[in-house]
Amino acid sequence: MASFPKLQHIAFTAGALLLGSSFILAQNVVPTAAADRQKSMADKRQLAASSPFKTSFRNIGPTVMSGRVVDIDVNPADPTEFYVAYATGGLWHTTNNGQSFNPIFDNEDVIGLGDVTVQWATRTIWLGTGEANASRSTYSGIGVYKSTDNGKSWQYLGLPESHHIGEIIVHPTDANTAWAAVTGHLYSPNKDRGVYKTNDGGKSWKQVLYLDENTGAIEMDINPQNPNELYASMWYKTRKAWNFEESGASSGIYKSTDGGNKWTLISGEGSGLPQGAVFGRSGMVVYEKNPQIVYAIVDNQTKRSSNAKADSVNYKLDDFKALSKEQFANLDDKKLDSFLKTNRMAPRYTAKLVKEMVASDKVKPTAIYDFLNVNTGFEGTPIGFEMYRSEDAGKTWKKQNDKDLPNMYSTYGYWFGRFAVSPSNDQKIVILGVPVMLSTDAGKTFKSIGKSNTHSDHHFIWINGKRDSHMILGNDGGINITYDNGDNWFKANSPSVGQFYAISVDNARPYKVYGGLQDNGTWTGFTRRQRTSDASFDTLQYRSVGGGDGMMILADPRDNKTVYYGSQFGVYSRSHLDTGGVLSVRPSHSLGEMPYRFNWLTPILVSRHNPDVFYIASNRVHRSLNKGANLQTLSEDLTNGKKEGDVPFGTISTLSESPLRFGLLYAGTDDGNIHVSKDGGYSWTLISSKLPKGFWVTRVYASHHKEGRVYASFNGYRNDFFKPMIFVSDDNGANWKPVSGNLPLEPVNVIREDHKFENILYAGTDGGFYVSKDGGATWNIWKNGLPHAIPVHDIAVQERENEILLGTHGRSIYVADLNEIHGLAPKKEPAGPRRFFEED
């Protein structure tokens, strides 16, 4: 167990959040200090030690789709042994080529990782916490750890304000010297960014490369023949809830020739590398046999040149941006119809119909531009991936790829930055992005080597120096291994490390669990194994329902077969698990209206009172009375309005219906609003004026026990603000009181009430699962069977079985019975695997 050095505690109470009778705005919040986080982590240790709960959670998977890998370190003497760092799944170790793994970082104060580096000569593990990929599901770390006994114990080495660490390099002959690439805070500027160096094994660190509070270090490499020669990729980025800048003029590649004490920019004017604000995330690799050869990749954010010939015969969206009525009337009908068809506006709209609507002033002449002007961050057309080679140790660079590879990074180059060069062949390179691709001519041309069983979005590749057809690949779907240059791959996905956004259960016998995962679609399965001699656990227990980034999935309680499921930004459908058939249940705006804004995790709701009634929310609430077949927009915009940026914001993030009264609805938004409707959604009243302003509302939850009672949780993750915020109202939101009690400094993702006892509450945070038996005045951690610091994104209760399920973001799904919580004798479990017959 690691222990933190003593730090002066900065007092932080609930009152510190208050200004008079109202709350401060989220944009004025100071990010939570590392000293406060560390003190809270120590308090959490005491809370765990005194926890009264004995019942243990059991993990029920799934495993087959795995979770996001950020780094792998392989034993060069025996490649069947390696360590895998997952974004939010912890550190795992295998000695049998991935057939099985053991978790070795589950008892520490964080579980999100950025980098693992192993000194194989001494078997010392260095671990940088906090994933460096700047995602909406990236969790902050607390610094660097080290273990000399294969993870049985860990020593904390500091850098608490780093939050996200992209790389750790250890000197090849001096075990006490190491360098760390610190990316820094994700959602706020901070000066603890750049490259850090230690000369005493991590007891102390010196910041040796710093540019500014928004530019951090993301990748590093070292000349193995001369360890005084190092390279570092510096990356300017800023992220807000509504906007992401992924490149900047301060980005670039730096070099040191004195062991990292002094650094020089080597990507400036005349270097051959991109210049200016278009320089995004980058990475580099030093060729081991000849360190004069250095490769670099750059995410070039320069907009791709348009196809002049295509533009002359087709309309572009910008052509409709500033038209007068006369100009619109003169548009070419054939080209306009083609544009409407290409953009899926036809057959609903035709050139003839739209021209009539504009001529009669039913819509503005800019209506087409307004209709399609949606910015999710994925609409851009940057050049993206570029590969460069230097043959003079970084003095000059030459672009290698003959053709642009726009699909390599798609529009999100910030998600990628690593690649590998064969240790024995400088012409052989494997690059990583949405696909995985191989070059055998020094990066001039590439071919895809992914197969049907390799996931997309690749983050790490290792090439065997003794047999370079042998590679180990890490991606959003776990681990793949090949021995023939990617002609064939096999999965090594036994760890249960799925990243769930949402879960639910049905009322079947036996009941099923449903959930949506980061980049791994929506799934359903049973919580107990079927009786079978086949060892293929997951293929029998879980089945895929939909693709994309999986979000909410709900079953119709009348048949437990009809399901509503979806992916990011509100792309939801209705289907039947046995008979199939897919019906889109995503509301569509009309010409003349501004586009609806959908949250990444768009909320949906099936009424408990009448399951024919289906709700889905954008920035407005929509309802269907016939299972999604026809949708009616009920509300006006319930947010504070659109905020310009390239991340959808000003959206409804949570919906709830009272189990005690049909038509009593609540809606919470990502910009801090909560509204109530008492008439089925026809009218709405703002009820959050006395609550925190501008924070993300993660849940509104209507009570099972009292009609007027409602709970609300707010999350400061997108402000790097860790204060837990939970409130309850007993008068439908007219008045509120805080019920966060003694919860540690961990943003809250979900709050829900026990189905039997009104004073029992459950909370899931970015760091664990908590229970209150006194209505939120005090909380205890319930962690038996769980990692010490696991993000809990959702909670479900199967009332008939009296079981609670946790949807975690990094360790799949856990289940436990609630008998102990309810003062009953624990369930007696049969010996051996828990199995069932379907007809049971």
Side-chain angles (χ1 to χ4, degrees):
M1 181 183 302
S3 61
F4 289 116
K6 291 183 178 180
L7 294 170
Q8 183 178 1
H9 175 47
I10 301 173
F12 196 98
T13 65
L17 189 63
L18 291 168
L19 283 180
S21 60
S22 62
F23 288 87
I24 60 176
L25 298 176
Q27 56 262 38
N28 296 326
V29 165
V30 176
T32 303
D36 285 339
R37 290 183 66 201
Q38 290 177 299
K39 172 60 169 63
S40 181
M41 289 172 177
D43 292 344
K44 179 179 175 180
R45 290 278 176 191
Q46 295 299 317
L47 198 63
S50 61
S51 175
F53 307 125
K54 308 301 180 185
T55 301
S56 183
F57 282 91
R58 57 186 175 91
N59 190 283
I60 59 169
T63 63
V64 66
M65 72 292 297
S66 193
R68 186 163 70 251
V69 171
V70 294
D71 199 22
I72 302 172
D73 203 305
V74 184
N75 186 343
D78 178 10
T80 64
E81 180 185 18
F82 52 91
Y83 294 86
V84 182
Y86 292 88
T88 51
L91 182 66
W92 296 70
H93 178 225
T94 180
T95 58
N96 56 19
N97 209 28
Q99 294 182 77
S100 63
F101 290 83
N102 290 314
I104 60 171
F105 195 67
D106 278 12
N107 295 319
E108 304 311 312
D109 291 312
V110 292
I111 200 169
L113 304 180
D115 184 81
V116 57
T117 296
V118 182
Q119 293 172 278
W120 289 100
T122 60
R123 301 195 69 86
T124 300
I125 306 169
W126 295 67
L127 202 58
T129 64
E131 180 188 12
N133 300 315
S135 164
R136 54 176 52 85
S137 61
T138 290
Y139 287 82
S140 60
I142 200 69
V144 179
Y145 288 79
K146 184 167 72 172
S147 176
T148 58
D149 56 9
N150 201 43
K152 293 179 182 177
S153 63
W154 291 90
Q155 179 187 3
Y156 177 67
L157 301 183
L159 300 182
E161 288 285 9
S162 60
H163 278 213
H164 305 278
I165 294 177
E167 187 87 43
I168 295 176
I169 292 178
V170 182
H171 194 289
T173 59
D174 179 3
N176 286 317
T177 298
W179 301 266
V182 172
T183 311
H185 292 192
L186 179 56
Y187 282 98
S188 58
N190 75 306
K191 294 181 179 180
D192 298 83
R193 302 180 190 265
V195 177
Y196 285 77
K197 180 181 180 180
T198 179
N199 290 316
D200 54 14
K203 294 177 183 178
S204 63
W205 296 87
K206 180 181 179 182
Q207 189 181 36
V208 292
L209 175 58
Y210 171 76
L211 299 182
D212 62 51
E213 61 185 8
N214 289 313
T215 307
I218 183 69
E219 302 289 347
M220 297 179 67
D221 205 3
I222 190 169
N223 178 349
Q225 298 181 21
N226 177 12
N228 283 323
E229 194 170 272
L230 297 108
Y231 299 83
S233 290
M234 299 296 285
W235 180 26
Y236 172 92
K237 63 167 176 58
T238 67
R239 184 156 198 158
K240 302 295 182 185
W242 57 89
N243 191 55
F244 188 10
E245 289 181 284
E246 55 192 88
S247 65
S250 56
S251 296
I253 299 176
Y254 285 73
K255 182 179 179 180
S256 174
T257 57
D258 63 356
N261 296 315
K262 296 181 181 179
W263 295 82
T264 302
L265 178 69
I266 60 172
S267 60
E269 291 287 345
S271 66
L273 291 167
Q275 300 298 304
V278 298
F279 200 115
R281 180 172 174 175
S282 64
M284 81 297 294
V285 173
V286 179
Y287 179 54
E288 295 181 15
K289 285 190 172 182
N290 178 8
Q292 290 292 106
I293 298 174
V294 185
Y295 283 94
I297 58 172
V298 178
D299 175 29
N300 188 339
Q301 285 293 299
T302 302
K303 187 176 180 179
R304 288 199 310 272
S305 299
S306 58
N307 186 321
K309 182 178 180 180
D311 289 347
S312 67
V313 297
N314 296 306
Y315 286 131
K316 308 183 299 298
L317 180 59
D318 283 350
D319 293 333
F320 302 93
K321 189 173 183 179
L323 294 177
S324 66
K325 286 180 65 173
E326 293 74 18
Q327 289 171 322
F328 195 94
N330 291 327
L331 292 174
D332 182 274
D333 283 7
K334 185 175 181 181
K335 289 172 64 176
L336 181 54
D337 272 325
S338 177
F339 178 88
L340 295 172
K341 183 177 181 181
T342 299
N343 288 275
R344 300 181 181 180
M345 294 179 68
R348 185 181 181 188
Y349 297 106
T350 64
K352 180 181 179 182
L353 175 59
V354 176
K355 283 190 172 184
E356 290 174 352
M357 294 173 73
V358 172
S360 62
D361 292 322
K362 289 183 178 178
V363 299
K364 297 177 182 178
T366 58
I368 289 179
Y369 178 83
D370 293 338
F371 184 90
L372 295 172
N373 186 23
V374 176
N375 194 346
T376 65
F378 302 115
E379 288 81 16
T381 57
I383 289 174
F385 172 90
E386 289 184 331
M387 170 153 279
Y388 294 84
R389 174 177 164 122
S390 173
E391 296 184 353
D392 53 13
K395 293 178 182 177
T396 60
W397 301 83
K398 181 181 179 181
K399 185 182 174 185
Q400 295 297 102
N401 50 304
D402 296 330
K403 296 181 179 180
D404 286 348
L405 298 173
N407 294 325
M408 188 68 202
Y409 285 172
S410 186
T411 59
Y412 42 104
Y414 66 87
W415 199 225
F416 312 107
R418 288 185 168 180
F419 66 105
V421 179
S422 166
S424 57
N425 178 2
D426 71 292
Q427 302 291 302
K428 186 173 183 177
I429 306 166
V430 178
I431 60 173
L432 306 175
V434 179
V436 53
M437 303 187 80
L438 170 69
S439 174
T440 56
D441 55 9
K444 294 181 177 63
T445 61
F446 290 90
K447 69 172 184 178
S448 176
I449 57 172
K451 296 295 184 289
S452 60
N453 66 336
T454 53
H455 203 279
S456 59
D457 291 3
H458 302 276
H459 301 289
F460 182 86
I461 185 76
W462 172 83
I463 302 177
N464 191 335
K466 299 176 181 178
R467 177 185 174 180
D468 68 5
S469 61
H470 173 206
M471 306 174 195
I472 302 178
L473 175 66
N475 50 50
D476 277 15
I479 303 166
N480 295 95
I481 301 175
T482 182
Y483 284 91
D484 54 15
N485 289 311
D487 290 340
N488 297 277
W489 298 89
F490 67 87
K491 288 180 179 289
N493 279 356
S494 60
S496 182
V497 288
Q499 296 173 298
F500 276 89
Y501 286 117
I503 62 168
S504 64
V505 294
D506 67 14
N507 289 315
R509 290 181 180 271
Y511 76 90
K512 296 188 291 293
V513 61
Y514 304 82
L517 299 104
Q518 187 274 326
D519 210 23
N520 280 285
T522 46
W523 294 72
T524 181
F526 296 100
T527 62
R528 291 174 174 81
R529 300 187 187 189
Q530 292 176 326
R531 187 184 296 277
T532 175
S533 59
D534 192 329
S536 301
F537 181 90
D538 274 343
T539 55
L540 290 170
Q541 187 174 6
Y542 286 90
R543 60 181 286 190
S544 174
V545 179
D549 280 271
M551 301 299 158
M552 293 184 70
I553 175 169
L554 303 175
D556 189 318
R558 295 170 296 190
D559 64 5
N560 303 307
K561 296 288 187 180
T562 300
V563 293
Y564 301 85
Y565 63 96
S567 56
Q568 63 268 40
F569 299 130
V571 182
Y572 277 87
S573 301
R574 189 193 77 205
S575 186
H576 193 278
L577 293 176
D578 291 341
T579 62
V582 177
L583 171 72
S584 172
V585 294
R586 188 179 198 264
S588 177
H589 62 295
S590 299
L591 197 65
E593 291 183 312
M594 297 302 291
Y596 298 138
R597 299 187 299 276
F598 292 91
N599 195 276
W600 177 259
L601 175 50
T602 295
I604 59 173
L605 181 65
V606 175
S607 174
R608 288 177 61 135
H609 304 281
N610 179 358
D612 282 344
V613 180
F614 168 80
Y615 298 91
I616 184 171
S618 56
N619 54 310
R620 305 167 74 175
V621 177
H622 314 270
R623 184 191 65 191
S624 168
L625 299 177
N626 54 357
K627 301 195 296 184
N630 300 100
L631 286 163
Q632 174 189 6
T633 300
L634 295 178
S635 75
E636 297 300 319
D637 189 343
L638 298 184
T639 76
N640 294 318
K642 183 179 180 181
K643 199 158 188 173
E644 292 302 324
D646 59 5
V647 180
F649 188 73
T651 68
I652 295 173
S653 52
T654 176
L655 283 175
S656 183
E657 181 188 36
S658 170
L660 303 176
R661 176 182 163 188
F662 178 72
L664 177 55
L665 303 168
Y666 298 91
T669 71
D670 56 12
D671 57 5
N673 289 346
I674 300 177
H675 286 80
V676 63
S677 174
K678 298 179 180 180
D679 57 7
Y682 291 105
S683 62
W684 295 82
T685 302
L686 181 70
I687 57 173
S688 53
S689 59
K690 299 177 183 179
L691 291 171
K693 298 186 187 321
F695 287 103
W696 197 287
V697 184
T698 51
R699 285 294 191 282
V700 282
Y701 185 82
S703 172
H704 286 69
H705 300 288
K706 290 185 178 179
E707 184 180 305
R709 181 173 293 172
V710 60
Y711 298 87
S713 60
F714 294 80
N715 188 304
Y717 164 82
R718 289 165 179 81
N719 304 87
D720 289 325
F721 182 71
F722 295 83
K723 175 72 177 177
M725 294 175 279
I726 308 174
F727 302 85
V728 65
S729 171
D730 280 324
D731 51 15
N732 301 115
N735 296 282
W736 297 87
K737 70 174 182 178
V739 289
S740 303
N742 58 325
L743 284 172
L745 292 180
E746 297 168 353
V748 178
N749 298 313
V750 56
I751 175 71
R752 71 167 293 152
E753 192 181 52
D754 186 78
H755 60 292
K756 289 186 177 181
F757 299 97
E758 64 176 302
N759 286 327
I760 297 179
L761 303 177
Y762 306 108
T765 73
D766 282 358
F769 177 62
Y770 300 88
V771 180
S772 174
K773 288 193 170 185
D774 55 13
T778 59
W779 294 82
N780 283 293
I781 188 171
W782 183 4
K783 60 162 286 185
N784 293 353
L786 303 175
H788 180 70
I790 184 66
V792 176
H793 264 228
D794 205 359
I795 300 169
V797 172
Q798 218 296 328
E799 297 180 11
R800 185 188 67 243
E801 297 295 331
N802 207 34
E803 291 185 335
I804 191 166
L805 298 95
L806 309 182
T808 73
H809 203 74
R811 294 301 271 272
S812 298
I813 301 174
Y814 288 87
V815 63
D817 75 69
L818 287 170
N819 284 15
E820 180 189 9
I821 300 296
H822 292 159
L824 304 173
K827 291 181 182 178
K828 292 183 178 180
E829 300 294 346
R834 303 182 67 166
R835 293 175 175 162
F836 61 81
F837 288 111
E838 182 78 31
E839 61 268 25
D840 288 347

